[in-house]
Structure formats: structure tokens, C-alpha cells
Amino acid sequence: MVQIQGKAAITKNQAFVHFLTKCWRWCCKMALVQPRLCSYFEPLIRLFNPGYRAGLISAQLLSVSQQQDYLHLLLKPGKKFRAFVPGQHLQLSVELDGALVQRTFSISSPLQQFLAQGTLQLTLKIQPHAGLTRQLAARAGENLFCYVSQAQGDFVLDQQRSALIVVAGSGITPVHAMLCSLSRLTQPVRLIYSYRGADNLLFASSWPELKARFPLLQIELWDTSSGPRFSAAALAAAFAALQQQKAAQAALQAEPCILYVCGPLTFSQQWQQQAKTLGILQVRQESFGCLNAADGEAVTVTARQHGRLVQLQSQGNLLQSLEQAGLSPRYGCRRGICMQCLCIKTAGQVRNELTGQISDTGAGLVQLCISTALTKLELQLDAVSTTAQDNTSCTT
Amino acid sequence: MHNLTSQQLDTLATELDTLAAQTRAKVGAEDARYLERVLLVQRLAVWTGRLLLLGIIWSPWLWLLGVLLLALGKILDNMEIGHNVLHGQYDWMQHPYLNSRQFEWDIACDAKSWQRTHNFEHHTYTNIIGKDRDFGYGLLRLSNDFRWRLRNLWQFVTYLLLSTLFQWGVSYHELAAQRVFFGKKKNDRHSQVSDHELKKAFFGKGLRQLCKDYLLFPLLCFPLFFEVLVGNLLANIIRNWWTATVIFCGHFTKDVYVFAAKDCENESRGHWYLRQMLGSSNFTGPRWFHILTGHLSCQIEHHLFPDLPACRYPELAPQVRAIAERYQIPYNSGSFIRQYATVLQRILRYSLPAGAAPQRQM
Ligand code: FES
């Protein structure tokens, strides 16, 4: 009973705070014609603090180092950054030529490093075509303004359960953070990491160290440039070995193990299917990169409008495909002049039919009426309404 | 004279597209810095202006300076910042709020409503009689295509009133088109927004603006309530006159062309470009003057490339002019005074049913 009252008091308090915030926002909107005080004064604050951006958490870029096809960024996020759970990712925005370019990356450094020094490491693969990673590599040493979002995602290690972890390429980054952050290991864990060429083996020094620290941890490294690729048979063998290890630890309960998969999209899809055939029921996965559709091929578009989620196959003009799927995106001229159809793309690539420009893979604004989806796409459509937008944005 | 063949129109479109692509490739840090500088000047102008209004206790001249600075701040906010940001000219920056989805400006008109009537209707159907309601704003008869009515006799007075209350005219524009309060609904008008939402945005934004200028700031300076209120009112009126005049000089000068809806059905991109060039007029002046007009002094370039950062228009202008000359398309440009004189002439001339010279029509 007491507890219930306590809860009610909290929600009442929260409601009051919420009400006050709303009033404050309204006052700002009225007096400054901006929903936030700090965004109104941003140009003035930037005079003294050129890296300041209202509503964004700035992060100091301490160092950029390159290892073959990969970049390691060492960042020190501002005070507003809360901690993270190892395995989570965040959105990194970098100011490049006046534009905030945003992409999602997993944190690769252990939690202890953040707690002790306040720094994070992001490890990213340099994409030959994507702007951000290439520019970061080319401009190492320059003073770039970076911003991070709070950490998010549920690709985290369940320490109560045994685990089979299958990763490829930069898919190792969240797993490295997970394993290095462990203080003790009570369940058997088996990691299978495929990489191409010894130069591309990430965190090479961590693996022997981890093995020495945790006897329950088995690590298999697969160099696909010299040896065979990791196959379904190998997965089955690894799974069997894990089961055996579990059986040997007779004291442990017989909870089924979890399969963690992290790697390029095709890789994740492939191993998820394999897991089913092996009878592994619980799978946690994280994938990145996107599949480029062949010219004229339909791609999957996920659109959210009025809280409704619609998935459709889009071929050709995006606005038309969305309308055919029964959605009602806002539009005006339908030929790229008026920006009425502008909406937020949270992930995926599009081509601008007028300029031929191909967008970045991260979040950004898209003019539906002159865009074609090139990859799997996620869109956030506005409500067709006149009332002022709330201050959600593509970069927060 | 402008009987360009469809092939010529296509090459015109390609040339202009290439020009746009070349400029787009150059857009970057410099443009972002420029916008930021303008924002900075705008913030400083507004706040020094507001403070100087209080200087009336020492001298009325300080107060007057305050009014002028406040008006300058509002003009920069509406023209160089608001108009251009709401056109999506800076969307490439991916800025959290300096983008066409989020920005709001210091004017009675709700940004979204303005985007529908201006970005969509006006920029798509520029100077098409019956479709571009910005041509005369449904109040002024500016060509013989409109039937003469008695009220056109005193349309010069209407013009003076419209310029004085311009922000409210702009704000009411979409509601008038949708016949929200008066008149019979038109069947051929399609809108994705309901009347209820239109009203909500109109009253919501209007009320906030009224509260700000005539209640909040005067109250904050309480013993000087009246002086501050009058100062704000004056700054608003100066801004109204300035924006109205600049806009009128962009589309209602003597030599602009008007178009018939049937000639623009399923038009090609080249035809749309041609129409934008013929339907707009530029005026000349020093750099600061261009900035105060939000670069609408380069109305032709703005209509050709509404989503390129406006600060690029002056460098585009000579190239556009050269292309126009090659295709023998008239390029309507002149001094501000001359263009404005022809605007007044047009308003006066068409207030009478007879005696009007045939206007240019394609
Ligand atoms: S509908 Fe006008 S730009 Fe897309």
C-alpha cells in the first residue's frame, strides 16, 4: 500500500515537472520563437566555444589511429554523456565542411576505461565509398568537432548464460567491449572471430590476455585470407564443444545458451538461420552495412507515421511507393521544389533523382518525391499537420 | 519571341542543372559560417535594439535607434535566415533546428503554412494566373486577366494597408485560399490540412507573436510599458514594409510575364525554368542591401534554384544572365528605385478597367 502511494507521489511529481517543462518551452517559443533557450543563443555561445551545439553532447577527439582497413577513434565525451553497457552503440556526428554527418558505431573499449579516464574508443571500418569514415581517415590530426548520442541498443552480454559468439570483421568491436569489461566469468563462452588477413586482426593483444584471465573463455580466430571460411559445420562443432564444456561444469544449471551474432548484414542473416537448424532458440544480433539493391530491384522500406509502422517494397520513386502502400506522406509540388515531402531517414541510402547524388548511410533528411531507395531504408514520416513540430530531430 | 522549341528548352534545363550542380559542389563550410554570422548579427541587433528602447529615459534618439535595430533584427530573421532556411537551403547542414522542418521565424505566419503557400504554390506555379495566389494576393488586380471590380478603384490604398499589415496578410493567406472563414469552398483546391488545423496554427502563432511584442516585453520593462509597446509596433511595421516592398519588386514589376494555366500543364523542366526567369525580376544594390533583402534582390536566381544557399545568388547571377542572353530570354533587372516605380505604376494602372496596356504574356 505504502509502495503504491510512493509510486503515485513520484508520478505526480513527474507530471508537475513535465508541466513546468512544457510551460517553459511555451515561454521560449513565445519570447524567442525557438523551443529552447540554448538553441536560440547557440550562435553567441559558439563565439566562445566553437564546438558547442545546443542539444548535442560534444566529444573531444583525442586521437585517430589507423590499422590497415580500420580506424580507432579515442573520444572524451562531455559530462552529459551517461555511462554505457558494454556492447551498446552510439551515434557519432562529425562536423565536416559545415555539415553534421552522422553514423552509428559500437563502443569497442571497456567500461572500466570510461569510468577511470572518461574516454571511449570507437573502431570503424574505412568504407571505400562512405563519406564519414574516409574523411576521418584523411583528416586525422585535424581538429574536428564531434558529437555523440547516449549509448543505446540491447546487444549486451547476459552473464548468467553460456554464450556462443560469432562475429566477422568490425563485428568484433562490441564483443571486445563486452569481454574486456568482464570482472569474472561464471559460464562458458566461446568466441569465433573471422577476419581477413593478419593486419586486419583487431585488438590482437587483448585475446591472449583475456584467455589467460578467464579459463571459461574459448577463442577461435579464423583468418579467412589464408584459411577456410567459418562454415555451418564449424558452427555445429563449436556448439557441440560448448555443450560439452557446459556438461563438464556439472554444477551449472542447464539453461540453454545464447547465440550472439555480429557482422555485416548478410553474415548475420546467414548465422541466424543456422542457429535455427541447430536448435538454438535465443539469438541476439547486431548487423551493419547495407545491401545495395541491383538497379531497379525493389528494396524494403520501413516507414513510421502517426506511431504506425508500415513495411513495404519500394521500387522507383519513394513518394509513390509510400502512397501505394496506403500511407499519406506530406507533399506539394512532387518535383523537388517545395520541400513539403521532406522527412527523416534514420538509416539507409537513397539516390536523388534530380542531382544523382547518393546519400550517406546514416540519419539525414530526404525529399521523398525525388528519391529512390537504394538500400533497406527506415523513414520517419511527419504527421500531415500544421501544428509546430516538437523538437525531435535527426541528429539528436 | 520565347518560342523556344522543346529541344531548346531541354538544353536550357541541362545548362541550368549543370550550373546548379557546380554550385552545389562548392557549398560547404563557408556557407555554414555565413549563416552563423548572420544569425549572430541578428541576435545582437535584436537584443541591443530591445535594450536601447529603454534608453528613452535619456534620449528619444536612443529609443529610435533601438526601434531601427529591432527592425533590422526582424528583417534579418525573416529574410536572410527564415525565408532561406525554410526553403531548405541549409538542410544539407543537418543542423538540429536550422532546417526546413523545424525552423520557426519571428513573424505572425506559421512556418508550415507559409511553406505550403510559398514554397509549393508560389514556386511551383509562379505567375500562373489563377494558380499562383501570390500574384496580387487576391486583393490587387495586377493584370488584365482579372475581371475589374469596383474595389480595384482604390486598390492603391489597399496596397498601402497590405504593406503595413503584411505579416498578417501572409499569415491569413492560406486561410483565405481555403475559404476557412468566408466564401464558398472551391472544388478544385486540394489540401492535406484540415480547416481546423489551419485555424489552430493561425491563432496559435499569431497569439504568441502578439503576446511577445505587445505584452511580454512591454511588461518586462514595466514603467516604460507604452514606450516599448510602440517601439515594437514600429519595428514590426518597418519590417512589414520592407518585406512587402522587396517581394513586390520581385514579381510585380512592369516587365514580368504572366502565364495561362493551360500552357503550363505537364510542362517540361526547361519550361518551368523559362517561366521562373520570365516571371521574376532582380534589382541591384550593394552587398549589405542584398543581405537585407535575403538575396531576393536576385529573385530570378532564387526562383531557378530555390534550394541553393542564397548567399550564392550574386555569384550565379552573371552566369544566369549569360545563359538568358544566349537563349534570348529577357533578364529583368534594374535599380531598386526603377523597379519599385514600375511596381507602383502597375498597381495604379490596373486599378482602372480601361487604358491598361496589354501585359506581357507568354
Ligand atoms: S513535394 Fe515538393 S519537394 Fe517533394
Side-chain angles (χ1 to χ4, degrees), chain A residues 331-334 336-339 341 367 369:
Chain A
Y331 68 85
C333 64
R334 307 185 75 102
I337 306 163
C338 70
M339 302 283 168
C341 60
Q367 259 171 296
C369 70

Side-chain angles (χ1 to χ4, degrees), chain B residues 29-263:
Chain B
E30 205 183 310
D31 305 73
R33 242 191 328 266
Y34 171 78
L35 179 67
E36 203 169 313
R37 273 205 306 269
V38 178
L39 273 164
L40 190 65
V41 175
Q42 189 268 340
R43 304 288 195 254
L44 289 175
V46 165
W47 288 99
T48 3
R50 291 204 187 282
L51 285 176
L52 281 179
L53 287 183
L54 304 178
I56 197 165
I57 39 177
W58 292 294
S59 151
W61 293 107
L62 283 178
W63 178 84
L64 191 66
L65 188 64
V67 171
L68 291 178
L69 278 172
L70 189 54
L72 170 71
K74 282 176 181 269
I75 286 171
L76 284 176
D77 175 275
N78 291 176
M79 304 298 266
E80 187 65 340
I81 303 166
H83 173 269
N84 295 338
V85 167
L86 289 176
H87 258 293
Q89 294 179 1
Y90 295 94
D91 282 357
W92 57 271
M93 283 169 59
Q94 311 272 17
H95 191 279
Y97 76 91
L98 289 173
N99 65 62
S100 58
R101 286 180 68 254
Q102 240 104 29
F103 194 79
E104 254 310 335
W105 49 356
D106 184 4
I107 192 171
C109 183
D110 171 68
K112 287 273 166 282
S113 168
W114 179 81
Q115 282 182 319
R116 283 188 295 272
T117 54
H118 179 92
N119 284 11
F120 167 43
E121 279 189 37
H122 170 61
H123 273 268
T124 312
Y125 305 121
T126 315
N127 285 22
I128 298 181
I129 300 297
K131 287 194 119 178
D132 176 11
R133 292 190 65 264
D134 278 21
F135 196 77
Y137 296 100
L139 292 171
L140 308 175
R141 178 178 181 267
L142 297 174
S143 91
N144 273 339
D145 299 280
F146 294 92
R147 197 155 45 87
W148 183 86
R149 293 159 198 260
L150 190 62
R151 63 166 198 226
N152 296 130
L153 257 189
W154 55 86
Q155 71 173 7
F156 195 77
V157 181
T158 315
Y159 159 68
L160 298 180
L161 279 174
L162 175 65
S163 289
T164 313
L165 296 172
F166 197 59
Q167 63 165 339
W168 296 103
V170 176
S171 157
Y172 185 63
H173 198 42
E174 194 183 15
L175 284 84
Q178 293 296 124
R179 307 280 190 272
V180 171
F181 295 117
F182 312 102
K184 220 175 88 210
K185 287 249 179 256
K186 285 196 168 176
N187 290 334
D188 57 343
R189 261 195 86 86
H190 157 82
S191 172
Q192 284 187 300
V193 183
S194 70
D195 283 5
H196 170 73
E197 283 174 310
L198 285 182
K199 279 192 253 180
K200 203 168 125 193
F202 173 75
F203 287 120
K205 181 75 194 286
L207 215 70
R208 284 204 302 274
Q209 287 294 102
L210 288 173
C211 275
K212 167 168 73 71
D213 285 333
Y214 307 123
L215 203 66
L216 177 75
F217 284 113
L219 273 180
L220 280 176
C221 317
F222 174 62
L224 297 174
F225 183 91
F226 187 68
E227 289 82 347
V228 172
L229 185 142
V230 175
N232 287 346
L233 180 69
L234 222 77
N236 276 336
I237 292 178
I238 296 174
R239 182 271 321 271
N240 287 351
W241 264 92
W242 176 251
T243 42
T245 311
V246 167
I247 290 164
F248 276 51
C249 284
H251 289 294
F252 310 150
T253 52
K254 185 166 125 260
D255 293 335
V256 294
Y257 284 63
V258 291
F259 313 93
K262 65 174 189 332
D263 299 333

Side-chain angles (χ1 to χ4, degrees), chain A residues 225-395:
Chain A
S225 70
S226 54
R229 283 168 165 270
F230 182 63
S231 61
L235 179 74
F239 182 57
L242 186 73
Q243 296 294 56
Q244 253 179 21
Q245 207 180 345
K246 262 175 72 176
Q249 306 250 324
L252 299 176
Q253 79 291 58
E255 283 241 41
C257 89
I258 303 181
L259 174 69
Y260 295 81
V261 184
C262 187
L265 205 58
T266 38
F267 177 87
S268 297
Q269 284 169 349
Q270 178 192 352
W271 295 114
Q272 249 175 302
Q273 292 207 327
Q274 287 296 333
K276 269 192 213 137
T277 54
L278 283 177
I280 305 176
L281 294 178
Q282 215 178 352
V283 180
R284 292 189 189 177
Q285 67 98 23
E286 182 131 288
S287 48
F288 44 80
C290 27
L291 295 171
N292 265 62
D295 243 352
E297 203 179 287
V299 292
T300 315
V301 175
T302 319
R304 192 183 289 275
Q305 188 176 32
H306 306 297
R308 187 174 139 221
L309 201 69
V310 177
Q311 210 172 53
L312 54 124
Q313 292 297 313
S314 166
Q315 198 171 14
N317 188 278
L318 255 178
L319 180 59
Q320 278 172 15
S321 338
L322 290 171
E323 284 173 340
Q324 277 159 11
L327 284 161
S328 50
R330 204 172 56 194
Y331 68 85
C333 64
R334 307 185 75 102
R335 53 188 188 195
I337 306 163
C338 70
M339 302 283 168
Q340 285 295 293
C341 60
L342 204 69
C343 75
I344 295 178
K345 156 180 83 79
T346 40
Q349 265 182 313
V350 293
R351 185 197 298 119
N352 182 319
E353 290 162 13
L354 282 185
T355 62
Q357 243 167 18
I358 293 178
S359 77
D360 206 348
T361 49
L365 297 171
V366 176
Q367 259 171 296
L368 294 176
C369 70
I370 50 163
S371 296
T372 312
L374 292 183
T375 64
K376 198 167 162 239
L377 205 64
E378 280 167 37
L379 296 174
Q380 181 94 51
L381 303 184
D382 283 337
V384 188
S385 122
T386 52
T387 39
Q389 303 285 322
D390 60 341
N391 201 28
T392 53
S393 97
C394 58
T395 42

